[in-house]
Amino acid sequence: MRDLDEMGPVDYIVVEFPGDKPRGEGLNLLLDLVDQGLIRIIDLAFVRKDHDGSVDAVAIGDLGGDDELDLTVFEGASSGILGTDDVEAAGLTLQPGSTAAVLVYENVWAAPLAVALRRAGAQLVATGRIPIQGILAALDAAEAAEPATARKG
């Protein structure tokens, strides 16, 4: 791990894939973000929810992979921040018969800003993310609320 005082914000995401293994195209883009220095993978784990509702962590080597990506490139992406309980909790949110990637990553691109703010005594007091479905719904609601004359012009 890098010096914590020099790190950018750290986020996590859980990405659900239908079926028993992730497809390569999205994971190739993850590698591109790392190669560009935009993010740094801190932890990456996979979890599967069986049709009976049971949840199990899945070793990267057990996922196989497709012709687009050799998943073994992600082996060893573990700092210990992401615990077994976290992976199991993520698995409970999945649809039966699906697999998910649980990713903890540093926003390297934001590190200089984060460091400067911390040195100035600032602290992050809230964070959030708006899913694309929420943005679309908000735009639809705003458009529906516009007066008819505003839409004509």
Side-chain angles (χ1 to χ4, degrees):
M1 288 282 291
R2 290 179 16 175
D3 180 8
L4 294 178
D5 291 334
E6 302 298 317
M7 285 181 66
V10 175
D11 288 327
Y12 78 91
I13 58 173
V14 179
V15 180
E16 181 180 55
F17 299 93
D20 62 352
K21 67 178 180 176
R23 294 180 46 182
E25 61 265 359
L27 295 171
N28 277 331
L29 293 173
L30 176 63
L31 290 175
D32 288 345
L33 293 172
V34 171
D35 289 344
Q36 294 174 46
L38 298 174
I39 68 165
R40 183 175 62 87
I41 297 173
I42 296 174
D43 282 315
L44 177 63
F46 291 89
V47 62
R48 180 175 298 137
K49 187 171 190 177
D50 291 324
H51 290 286
D52 66 3
S54 62
V55 173
D56 293 302
V58 181
I60 290 173
D62 293 341
L63 288 173
D66 57 21
D67 295 334
E68 296 182 40
L69 178 66
D70 176 11
L71 293 174
T72 59
V73 71
F74 294 110
E75 284 186 314
S78 177
S79 71
I81 290 175
L82 185 61
T84 304
D85 291 346
D86 299 318
V87 174
E88 289 176 10
L92 294 175
T93 67
L94 304 178
Q95 294 295 315
S98 62
T99 303
V102 183
L103 174 67
V104 178
Y105 62 98
E106 175 191 1
N107 291 285
V108 176
W109 61 270
L113 174 61
V115 168
L117 291 171
R118 283 192 294 265
R119 287 184 181 151
Q123 63 180 345
L124 182 63
V125 296
T127 186
R129 180 155 285 133
I130 303 170
I132 192 66
Q133 298 88 343
I135 292 171
L136 294 172
L139 291 173
D140 287 346
E143 183 178 316
E146 286 182 21
T149 56
R151 284 184 245 154
K152 291 181 184 177

